[in-house]
Amino acid sequence: MAPAAVRDNSVVFAPRIQELLAREEKVFRIDATTVGVSDSRLVAEIVAARPVLSTERSVFKPAAGAEIHHDSATRTIRALGQDVMAGIRTPPPPARGLSGAWPYAATSYLRRWLFSSDPLPVSLLSKRGVTRSDALSRIADRTVAGWPGLGGGEGRSTALAGQIHGASGAQERMQAIALYRRATATLCDGVAALAGNALWLMGPGRPPEDVRTDLTAALWETLRLLPPAWMLFRMSGDAYTALHPEIRPEDRIALLPLLMHRHPDYWPDPLEFRPERWAGVADPENAPAFMPYGFDGARCWAKHLIVPLAERLLTAAFDHRLVIRSPQQQAHVPLRSLLSVRFDAQTGA
């Protein structure tokens, strides 16, 4: 399952990821307390063994000292969906924002595209320089929480900012602030990673016309070969011990779509970038051994927004003649929670 050259580009994974890719077993011990699983049947059994815990979620893990209630999470996703659909319908920002180091340039570009209409200091919550620092995030949270008359829901503010404005109490307000920060970061980081991975897999310069014609298929194939959500954890528990002899009650379970999506037992020519494999597939998420957005009970709540927004971002990039400006035909994928290829790009406009 080692990576092969795709078109004219190739990928160099961080050593720890490369070690996982080199494993032939579908169930194996990663370290003293973690078991890796890429077996499709066992993954399904693990997912069905118990409901996902709140601490195993990302956006909707506890905030402000309390659980995020289902209705609050639902309102957040609906608001995020409104903002993404509104953003897709508006002209993109100046193309020069796409030039630079990817996926960081794309992340900043998306945040400016979707959330720049929010008033200060709310807009600070979506700034990459703020979200990368725990200290700055806490300062921004406190500033927003104490800022009078944020104006959410008025003028051109986003629906997500309106959740902060409409909060009924201090705790609800702090949770709305946390959800704004998490939702904007998760969406923009994930879409930027997906679009960047797709650009690299398509090859240097302008992608072939057949790929440009069906960007949706190219993005689904990217989600197979380089899924940003490449590893998801389930915490320890007795629910899993009867499923496989390698799993102990104290073990964490690392579910590995990156390995499962590349395994020849499930996919013909698994290391080749072949968007045409999705031609005529009405519902890609139902493809066997394909879990691009997580697993049942813990799937990304914004999954319906990811591919359309990534397609819109790539269209804007191609319309402005974005090309990869990398000195090498190898791109590095560091060991991060979000799998993303690193390269430099420049627009022609």
Side-chain angles (χ1 to χ4, degrees):
M1 291 191 294
V6 183
R7 299 190 185 270
D8 294 323
N9 286 348
S10 60
V11 174
V12 179
F13 291 96
R16 290 294 300 273
I17 302 177
Q18 186 59 54
E19 289 173 8
L20 295 176
L21 288 167
R23 301 296 294 259
E24 295 183 359
E25 312 98 309
K26 293 181 184 177
V27 182
F28 54 90
R29 184 159 293 280
I30 296 175
D31 56 39
T33 60
T34 309
V35 173
V37 178
S38 63
D39 179 85
S40 179
R41 179 195 57 81
L42 182 57
V43 164
E45 292 178 352
I46 290 171
V47 166
R50 66 161 171 79
V52 64
L53 304 176
S54 61
T55 52
E56 293 169 333
R57 299 186 182 277
S58 55
V59 175
F60 300 117
K61 63 186 177 183
E67 299 271 336
I68 301 293
H69 294 298
H70 185 273
D71 58 346
S72 179
T74 300
R75 287 195 304 271
T76 298
I77 290 302
R78 287 176 179 169
L80 186 64
Q82 293 176 36
D83 296 335
V84 170
M85 292 300 104
I88 288 176
R89 291 191 295 267
T90 61
R96 63 179 178 272
L98 289 169
S99 296
W102 276 61
Y104 308 123
T107 296
S108 298
Y109 187 84
L110 284 168
R111 293 184 180 189
R112 187 161 61 252
W113 192 351
L114 300 177
F115 304 107
S116 62
S117 64
D118 286 333
L120 285 171
V122 174
S123 61
L124 294 176
L125 298 173
S126 66
K127 300 296 184 184
R128 182 172 172 268
V130 173
T131 59
R132 291 182 66 196
S133 167
D134 290 341
L136 289 178
S137 293
R138 288 193 294 269
I139 292 171
D141 287 0
R142 289 196 295 269
T143 302
V144 174
W147 196 276
L150 285 172
E154 301 174 4
R156 296 179 58 248
S157 295
T158 63
L160 204 57
Q163 300 291 308
I164 302 174
H165 178 73
S168 60
Q171 185 177 73
E172 185 176 325
R173 188 179 179 89
M174 288 302 298
Q175 287 199 331
I177 290 168
L179 288 175
Y180 181 103
R181 177 164 38 79
R182 294 175 188 175
T184 56
T186 301
L187 176 76
C188 295
D189 290 351
V191 171
L194 173 58
N197 293 350
L199 276 174
W200 187 259
L201 291 175
M202 290 178 195
R206 291 176 64 83
E209 196 59 39
D210 62 316
V211 176
R212 283 205 64 187
T213 300
D214 193 352
L215 279 178
T216 302
L219 287 166
W220 283 114
E221 180 69 345
T222 301
L223 283 167
R224 182 192 69 84
L225 200 56
L226 291 176
W230 66 283
M231 178 170 63
L232 297 99
F233 280 108
R234 288 294 176 92
M235 299 298 108
S236 58
D238 294 332
Y240 305 133
T241 55
L243 301 180
H244 194 277
E246 185 67 39
I247 302 174
R248 304 173 306 197
E250 65 271 20
D251 286 331
R252 295 190 307 169
I253 313 297
L255 305 173
L256 295 159
L258 177 65
L259 272 61
M260 188 168 60
H261 291 179
R262 291 166 163 257
H263 206 286
D265 286 359
Y266 308 129
W267 304 90
D269 301 318
L271 301 182
E272 293 186 12
F273 179 66
R274 291 174 46 195
E276 62 272 15
R277 76 173 77 233
W278 299 102
V281 179
D283 188 357
E285 280 196 86
N286 283 335
F290 185 55
M291 298 181 179
Y293 299 122
F295 307 93
D296 291 339
R299 290 186 188 273
C300 174
W301 285 36
K303 63 187 181 66
H304 61 292
L305 306 173
I306 303 299
V307 168
L309 186 54
E311 188 171 350
R312 185 75 172 90
L313 175 62
L314 288 175
T315 299
F318 296 148
D319 287 346
H320 292 90
R321 302 191 299 279
L322 184 84
V323 293
I324 294 171
R325 298 296 188 193
S326 176
Q328 303 180 31
Q329 290 182 317
Q330 290 184 336
H332 288 268
V333 177
L335 183 63
R336 298 286 189 274
S337 58
L338 200 68
L339 189 95
S340 57
V341 179
R342 274 27 176 191
F343 59 84
D344 290 326
Q346 184 175 348
T347 61

